[in-house]
Each structure stands twice: as structure tokens, then as C-alpha cells.
Amino acid sequence: MHTNRWVPYLLPAGPILLLSALWVWLYRPVFGYLGVIFSRQEFRTNQILLLAVLVLIAARLRRSPISFPRPEDLRPRLHPPALALLLGCSLLYLLMERFFDIRSLSAALFGLATYGLLGLWLEPHRWREGFLAALLLVGVLPFGEHLETFVGYPMRRVTAQLVRDGFAALGHSSLGVDTILVFESGVAKIDLPCSGVKSLWTGLLFLLSAAWIERQPLNLRWLLAGVLMVGLLFCANLLRVAALIGTGQVLNWPLLAEMLHVPLGVLGFVGACVGALAILRLPHPARAQPALAPAHASPLWLAPALCAVVLGLTLLYTPRPVQGASAPSGWQYPAEMNTSPQPLSPGEIDWITSGGADSADRQRFSMGDLSGSMILIRSHSWRGQHRPERCFEVYGLTVDNSYAQLISGEFPLRVVKLSERSSERSYTAAYWFQSATQTTDDYGTRMWTDLDPQREEWVLVTVLFDQSVDPQAQASLGFFSSLREVIHKGMVK
């Protein structure tokens, strides 16, 4: 008798299992990325946020449990909004993988498309109610880092230009945009969730959570609250940068500027959240309770059609082509650098190749009192290069500080102060990104150039000194300038 009870479930379960297998195969590149995000220590903030969202969802489900499905409930329903979300996000996923290869956005599209797929089985009103929860789950991905990369650079330049114009109107015309950017970057604590552009990500999660907890719909009022929050955050950041430049550059009190950075950032973030929440909590006009939408049809052809569509999408999947690491480029180092090759290990070559670098060249150098190692990685793709801080930490070094330094008007680089706990030794490193036409210390600038159809080749230059050095000393400045000239000649020849 108990066996016969499950027989009606077998026939509709077959297409579901097949569709699930095809779905996992279509989105297989995403799972490795998700495994990294939710297992590695550097993403601890995202893991804590995921746990909090899951607890919130479990508490909500406990108050409104879902009944056990009947056999006819296993057949997918023809639910147009869910179907549109499924197909739209899946097509965008294919385009993202082919042309951009930004894993966090691919993972977000996977999450939304999967929720669209679930909408073919959930009741329409339950699916609409759970959409905020789906957005919260997607929102715990590390978008703060990508916002800092893609949105941060243009926003920082706009902010710096406004601050420069403001001080110029007050009679301080000597301040340049690069000077403001370098100084603000030097005192910023970019790891704080409420700092800089990352506050947009944190603020959006706050707004989604507030709407979910208070059962507010995603409507025009919520959009207005979001726009207000973005505007308040931008204004708060503009005033913060102006205060930092006024105290640190105009009044020449850099220590006070460093002390003011964190409290000003926190106050601006809290003020923006309070303003957005006030808009969200404005009393709603009286309105009639909407009637439940009628159940959608469950045609027998829908499940096989979905399997065919997902199979077609799987066959259309084409990852972005990458070039493997080739032989080291023939850089012409000056004799005074006393360079000697330091070959990469097979594991290091495999790691660089997987990122899509064109070539890598590692050298030992000794120039006057300076000595150390340097690695030059050439790549046409931003994925072939990364922030070197990650490598330093992998090799057991602790990043104590990281700040921008302007060597000349068009030559910024990033200085990294490192230490080794086991020996209590300290080191200095520096890196920058350089193409045939420009030099930058900003990873976001490097990534933005990759969106151009005619992509430039870039070199990531990373220097690790054998000891702690003064990056502003004449010997250091001369070394950086000489190395930059070597790369420039190698890029334009």
C-alpha cells in the first residue's frame, strides 16, 4: 500500500530529474566560484551575510509552511513572469560567459534564473512574496568588490573633480585630480563595508532586508528609497573627501584626515540608511487587498519543452577564449639593475595560464642598495592579472598597509607594506598596471579598458624588495622610473 502511494509521483518526477541535470550542466562553471566564495576566509563577511539571510528565510517559512505537493503539482505551470526571468537570465549568462567572464555576475544570473525555474512550480503569490528573499541570496555575493572596481573609479574621478573645482573656487587652485585621488586612497580603509563604493552594496542589502522584514513590496516607493540612498551616499562621500582634502592637503594635517575618515564614512552611511528607511516607512494609502491570481495551466508539453530549451542553451554555451602563458617577453633591462632570471615553477605557470596571461617574466635585481624580485605579467584580458596583495598573503606575508603614491604626474603606483610574523621581518612591495598609452595603480581602470572592442595589452608590474624601503627615497624613485621606461620601450617597439 505504501509503495502504491508513490507510484503517481514517478511519471512527473522523471522530467524534473532530467531538467535538473541539464540545469546543473549549463551552470557548471558557476559552482567552482561559489565554492570559493563560501569556503575561503577572505569572504567571511559574505558567509556571515548568507547565514543571516538563510536564518531569516527559515523563520519566515516556519510561520507559513509549504504543504506537501500532490502528484499533479509536480508538473510545471505556464507562469509567464517566471519563464521570462528564467530565459532572460540564462541568455544573459551565455553572453556574460562569452564576452566578459565576470564570475560574480554569472553567479547572480544563475541565482535569478534558478528562482525563475522554481516559479514554474510555486504558486504565483508565493513566488512574488519570495522574490525579495531571492534577491537577498544573490546580494550576498561579493558585489562590493566589483562595485569598487567598475563603479568606484569613475565615481572617484567625478568626486575628485568636484572637490578640485570647489577648492579652486575658494582660491586653492594647486590641487589636481590625481593629487586628490592619491591622497584619499592613502587614508581610505577600503575593507570597511560602509566605506566608499562598497557602501552602495551594503546599503542595497540593508534596503532589501528592511523591505523583506516589514513585508514591503518592490514598488515605486522602494525604488524611490533606493535612489535617495544612492544620492545621500554620493553626497556624504563628496563631503567626506572634501573634509579629508581640506584637513590633509590644504591645512597640512594628514593625521587628522586619517582620524576623520572612518567616523565620517560611518556617519554618512547611517544617515543615508535612516533617510531611505524613512521613505520606506511612509504610510501607504488605503487600497484593496489584491485577489489571488488564478492557477496557471500545466500543459503536458511544457516539461519536455523546458528540457529541450535548457539542452539548447547548454549546447550554445561558449566560454570566453583565453590565451595561455607563452615564453617570457624579451625585456631589455639596463645593466645597473643587475637582473637575473628567476624561473617560475610548474604550479605557478599553471596558475598564471588559468587566468589567461600572455606571458610572465620573473627576475631578481640588485640596483645600488635596493634588491629584490619582480614579476611582469602581460595580458590582453583583465582576468590574467589581479591585485598582488592576494599573492603576498598566499606566500605567508601579512599586508599591513596599502596606499597609492604619485611618482610623477602620470605615474601612480601602489605601495604595499608587508610583514612576516614568523621572523618579524618587514618588507616593501609596489605594483602598477601599464600599457603603451597609460599607467595606473587602479585595478578598476585596468578592467574598464578591457570593455573596449580593441583591447590593449597591459603589463602588471610587481616589485618585492628584500627589506623595508622608503618608496619616496631618490633611489626608489629612480628604480621605479627606470623600470617603467623598460616596459614602455618593450610595449611600443
Side-chain angles (χ1 to χ4, degrees):
M1 293 294 292
H2 292 290
T3 303
N4 294 336
R5 177 187 175 186
W6 300 105
V7 171
Y9 290 90
L10 296 179
L11 184 60
I16 293 178
L17 294 175
L18 176 60
L19 182 60
S20 300
L22 292 172
W23 194 256
V24 170
W25 185 251
L26 171 62
Y27 286 98
R28 65 193 182 279
V30 173
F31 296 112
Y33 170 76
L34 293 177
V36 170
I37 296 300
F38 298 120
S39 63
R40 288 172 51 170
Q41 185 174 357
E42 58 261 41
F43 298 105
R44 193 67 70 207
T45 300
N46 304 87
Q47 296 161 17
I48 294 173
L49 288 173
L50 174 64
L51 181 61
V53 172
L54 290 177
V55 169
L56 192 63
I57 293 174
R60 180 65 60 86
L61 289 176
R62 190 174 180 180
R63 289 197 296 267
S64 54
I66 299 176
S67 58
F68 191 80
R70 300 167 299 175
E72 55 268 25
D73 294 332
L74 296 183
R75 293 202 303 267
R77 300 183 180 93
L78 197 58
H79 186 194
L83 199 58
L85 185 65
L86 182 160
L87 295 176
C89 290
S90 296
L91 291 173
L92 286 175
Y93 163 76
L94 295 181
L95 294 174
M96 184 64 61
E97 288 288 293
R98 177 63 181 85
F99 295 105
F100 300 103
D101 196 18
I102 303 175
R103 290 301 166 85
S104 59
L105 294 183
S106 296
L109 292 170
F110 161 70
L112 293 175
T114 301
Y115 191 70
L117 182 66
L118 291 175
L120 302 180
W121 281 270
L122 292 174
E123 297 176 4
H125 73 279
R126 280 190 175 273
W127 186 77
R128 289 194 301 270
E129 290 174 355
F131 190 63
L132 270 173
L135 290 179
L136 276 173
L137 284 173
V138 170
V140 302
L141 292 169
F143 289 112
E145 190 72 23
H146 286 291
L147 278 174
E148 189 71 38
T149 298
F150 284 103
V151 183
Y153 176 69
M155 281 192 65
R156 284 197 300 271
R157 287 206 69 89
V158 170
T159 302
Q161 289 168 359
L162 292 174
V163 171
R164 178 201 60 187
D165 295 342
F167 278 101
L170 296 175
H172 300 279
S173 57
S174 61
L175 291 172
V177 170
D178 288 331
T179 302
I180 295 173
L181 287 172
V182 170
F183 183 83
E184 193 271 338
S185 176
V187 299
K189 305 294 187 294
I190 59 175
D191 290 333
L192 292 177
C194 61
S195 173
V197 182
K198 282 187 178 180
S199 61
L200 294 177
W201 170 64
T202 313
L204 179 61
L205 286 180
F206 168 80
L207 208 55
L208 286 173
S209 302
W212 169 254
I213 292 172
E214 301 196 359
R215 297 182 180 272
Q216 298 277 0
L218 287 179
N219 52 16
L220 188 60
R221 180 186 299 245
W222 187 90
L223 183 61
L224 178 62
V227 171
L228 176 66
M229 171 173 278
V230 171
L232 290 175
L233 287 173
F234 179 80
C235 293
N237 187 60
L238 179 65
L239 294 175
R240 179 185 62 85
V241 174
L244 295 179
I245 297 301
T247 54
Q249 288 287 308
V250 177
L251 300 178
N252 197 23
W253 294 339
L255 181 59
L256 178 60
E258 189 170 351
M259 293 172 60
L260 287 175
H261 169 71
V262 173
L264 288 179
V266 172
L267 286 175
F269 178 76
V270 171
C273 289
V274 170
L277 188 60
I279 294 293
L280 205 61
R281 286 183 168 178
L282 287 175
H284 291 270
R287 57 186 179 184
Q289 187 71 17
L292 292 179
H296 294 283
S298 302
L300 295 177
W301 55 264
L302 184 56
L306 285 172
C307 292
V309 168
V310 175
L311 176 61
L313 292 172
T314 303
L315 296 176
L316 288 174
Y317 175 82
T318 307
R320 185 178 185 179
V322 297
Q323 295 176 302
S326 60
S329 302
W331 303 108
Q332 301 297 319
Y333 300 104
E336 58 267 23
M337 281 191 180
N338 296 308
T339 58
S340 58
Q342 192 177 17
L344 296 164
S345 68
E348 291 170 330
I349 293 175
D350 290 341
W351 185 73
I352 293 173
T353 303
S354 65
D358 298 335
S359 67
D361 182 25
R362 186 167 63 184
Q363 299 277 338
R364 285 287 303 173
F365 68 88
S366 176
M367 184 174 175
D369 294 333
L370 301 176
S371 64
S373 60
M374 57 185 176
I375 183 169
L376 280 60
I377 299 178
R378 301 181 74 151
S379 179
H380 285 84
S381 169
W382 67 271
R383 290 191 64 83
Q385 297 164 338
H386 57 273
R387 291 187 177 92
E389 286 92 341
R390 290 168 50 193
C391 292
F392 298 143
E393 292 174 342
V394 168
Y395 283 99
L397 298 175
T398 301
V399 177
D400 298 322
N401 195 11
S402 177
Y403 59 91
Q405 177 175 315
L406 200 60
I407 303 300
S408 64
E410 297 180 351
F411 184 16
L413 57 77
R414 181 156 289 271
V415 178
V416 184
K417 293 294 185 178
L418 305 162
S419 61
E420 190 175 17
R421 293 181 180 177
S422 58
S423 62
E424 297 185 354
R425 294 183 60 185
S426 59
Y427 305 88
T428 299
Y431 69 87
W432 67 89
F433 301 89
Q434 184 173 341
S435 71
T437 59
Q438 60 180 314
T439 303
T440 181
D441 70 304
D442 188 86
Y443 191 44
T445 306
R446 168 65 186 95
M447 295 181 71
W448 270 102
T449 61
D450 217 33
L451 301 180
D452 194 318
Q454 301 296 325
R455 289 182 289 169
E456 284 188 294
E457 185 180 37
W458 283 76
V459 180
L460 167 59
V461 185
T462 306
V463 179
L464 177 61
F465 295 99
D466 289 334
Q467 63 282 324
S468 179
V469 303
D470 181 4
Q472 295 182 334
Q474 287 300 318
S476 303
L477 298 177
F479 174 80
F480 294 141
S481 298
S482 297
L483 185 54
R484 185 196 184 205
E485 185 62 23
V486 168
I487 297 166
H488 177 71
K489 291 179 179 178
M491 298 288 287
V492 299
K493 67 179 181 180

